[in-house]
Amino acid sequence: MDAKRLSIADKLLAWYDAHRRDLPWRAPPGVAADPYRVWLSEVMLQQTTVATVRPRFEAWVARWPDFASLAAAEDADVMAAWAGLGYYARARNLVAAAKAVAADHGGAFPRTEAALRTLPGLGAYTAAAVAAIAFGERAVVVDANVERVVSRLFAIARPLPASRSAIRAAADGITPDERAGDFAQAMMDLGSAICTPKLPRCLLCPLQPDCRAQAQGEPDRYPVKAAKKAKPHRYGTIFWVERPFLSIVAPLRVHPSPVRAELVEAQELGAPPATHPSTSSGRTELVDRAVRGAREVLLVRRPPKGLLGGMRALPTGPWADEPPGLAKAPVATDWTMHNATVEHGFTHFDLTLALAVANGDGHHPDGEWWPLDRLDEAGLPTLFAKAARALRRDE
DNA sequence: AATTCGTGGAC
DNA sequence: TGTCCAAGAAT
């Protein structure tokens, strides 16, 4: 058999049949994929590693197994479930897309790349990937793996992102009419296991004879990338306001926390309170919490768009080029500056946070008093989880 | 076209 | 230790 007669797609698909990864969102060979799982996994995997996604995907589908259940979910629950995964617009768009499917498509998920592309959170890559993997449509699927593999195969020297159109054209040229979904996943498995960014394993590569970069001797020179900008450093303050779980009742009627509201209401009605969403045993636990002097911390909901948009959070002041101190503190009170600071790196800037601590009570706009011993259930982005950890450690 | 969106792991 | 990077999208 003349290897030259086999197309790149043929060789890659043969390699895939022998070496494909077993992933929870992948149907076994010959079995139709579940579009919901394909879509969810593709969104989770945007700029996120398989190792990070795998357990989060399992937990997610156990809680929301299909489009209908997700469309009916509470926004706060969905955002909390996404906490720690980053790029939180993905979670907002996930719910919006699930609702759009229910409202505009009669509950049926679109099956073509063009129709998928109209859903929020489905861009060029994800629409093509879902169309190919879930529905068998021939679509040109270009992610960072494909960019790397293709730029090496054809030794595309122009730097990214200017080379995108050439890479796409080259990917189109090797995408088969049949098994386009397997081909896309094969490219990604190859990029993950063989055609890696550094130290590619060319000796194991089924496409080695076809690879111009390998022939040139320095495959890891591709893809060439434009120089990146320097990251600015910014400063901010996190405000930690704490109060006893149950002190006095008077202010609570006006500005109750969910837990307190239920307790007060139950006292008025002479009935047991409903179980708080974050508790499991109703009045017993509420009373126990009060008796043992449990404490609560003030949380807020960040604005729906922008950095950490829509997420539950600790109150913060502005980000600035210099430490902003107590600017925009949520309450006028005596603050104690904590010794340690929290360092956090975002994609486009690094942040140093000071920690201001105070005792407080009463009303805060959009505020929510949260039981300290259940803070892990609040769904805080990593930045705030770090701050809570730093304060906890020192108590 | 260039920015703005998180986070954790590999090296 | 800092740098790079990951199944990108929206604006």
Side-chain angles (χ1 to χ4, degrees):
Chain A
M1 170 120 31
D2 182 356
K4 287 286 184 185
R5 293 289 176 185
L6 287 178
S7 69
I8 287 176
D10 288 335
K11 295 180 201 173
L12 187 61
L13 286 167
W15 175 85
Y16 182 68
D17 289 337
H19 300 288
R20 71 199 292 271
R21 284 178 287 180
D22 192 14
L23 298 171
W25 46 88
R26 257 180 202 176
V31 176
D34 175 355
Y36 172 77
R37 292 178 151 247
V38 172
W39 165 63
L40 175 64
S41 68
E42 290 301 341
V43 173
M44 280 192 172
L45 287 161
Q46 289 167 6
Q47 300 291 285
T48 309
T49 59
V50 167
T52 298
V53 166
R54 191 193 294 260
R56 305 295 296 259
F57 175 87
E58 301 277 26
W60 192 283
V61 295
R63 185 169 184 182
W64 296 298
D66 49 37
F67 292 105
S69 61
L70 185 56
E74 293 291 333
D75 287 346
D77 291 339
V78 172
M79 299 312 288
W82 199 270
L85 277 174
Y87 288 146
Y88 297 102
R90 292 185 291 174
R92 298 195 300 272
N93 287 333
L94 220 45
V95 178
K99 288 180 173 167
V101 168
D104 305 336
H105 300 269
F109 198 46
R111 301 176 62 88
T112 67
E113 180 180 3
L116 288 161
R117 186 70 178 75
T118 67
L119 291 172
L122 280 89
Y125 163 75
T126 305
V130 172
I133 297 169
F135 300 117
E137 180 176 328
R138 184 195 183 277
V140 182
V141 180
V142 183
D143 75 321
N145 289 295
V146 174
E147 286 181 348
R148 187 169 60 254
V149 172
V150 165
S151 67
R152 287 174 179 171
L153 275 175
F154 300 97
I156 295 173
R158 188 215 287 254
L160 285 167
S163 56
R164 287 256 152 80
S165 61
I167 289 174
R168 179 176 188 77
D172 195 350
I174 62 174
T175 299
D177 291 334
E178 304 294 327
R179 298 189 68 188
D182 283 348
F183 178 77
Q185 295 179 89
M187 290 288 272
M188 298 191 250
D189 279 12
L190 189 79
S192 168
I194 307 289
C195 197
T196 48
K198 295 169 187 172
L199 300 177
R201 300 163 171 83
C202 298
L203 291 177
L204 301 177
C205 182
L207 306 184
Q208 185 272 336
D210 304 281
C211 184
R212 293 191 56 189
Q214 157 70 11
Q216 291 175 0
E218 284 187 291
D220 60 337
R221 197 165 74 80
Y222 300 92
V224 183
K225 294 187 178 180
K228 39 186 68 111
K229 289 178 27 176
K231 267 193 204 183
H233 198 112
R234 295 192 176 130
Y235 298 84
T237 305
I238 286 179
F239 298 102
W240 180 273
V241 194
E242 216 177 290
R243 75 177 188 184
F245 167 67
L246 192 60
S247 49
I248 42 100
V249 174
L252 306 186
R253 294 179 182 259
V254 188
H255 308 294
S257 74
V259 174
R260 289 180 171 205
E262 288 171 15
L263 192 53
V264 169
E265 183 181 16
Q267 286 168 344
E268 287 172 349
L269 297 177
T275 302
H276 183 264
S278 67
T279 65
S280 56
S281 56
R283 162 172 269 168
T284 301
E285 175 151 359
L286 294 174
V287 171
D288 173 67
R289 193 184 295 284
V291 166
R292 72 169 190 270
R295 298 180 70 76
E296 299 175 319
V297 62
L298 181 66
L299 301 183
V300 297
R301 177 78 56 187
R302 291 182 62 85
K305 292 186 173 184
L307 189 73
L308 309 175
M311 296 300 287
R312 205 173 265 137
L314 292 164
T316 62
W319 311 148
D321 294 334
E322 303 292 337
L326 299 177
K328 302 286 185 182
V331 285
T333 182
D334 296 329
W335 293 98
T336 300
M337 299 309 295
H338 195 261
N339 281 334
T341 58
V342 170
E343 302 291 337
H344 192 72
F346 291 107
T347 305
H348 50 301
F349 67 97
D350 291 316
L351 191 57
T352 298
L353 282 315
L355 302 170
V357 179
N359 292 311
D361 208 329
H363 174 58
H364 305 284
D366 305 318
E368 180 179 16
W369 291 101
W370 195 272
L372 254 186
D373 60 347
R374 291 181 173 276
L375 195 55
D376 57 335
E377 296 169 23
L380 295 179
T382 299
L383 165 63
F384 302 111
K386 278 186 191 174
R389 208 179 309 143
L391 289 165
R392 276 277 164 87
R393 194 161 39 231
D394 265 29
E395 246 163 40

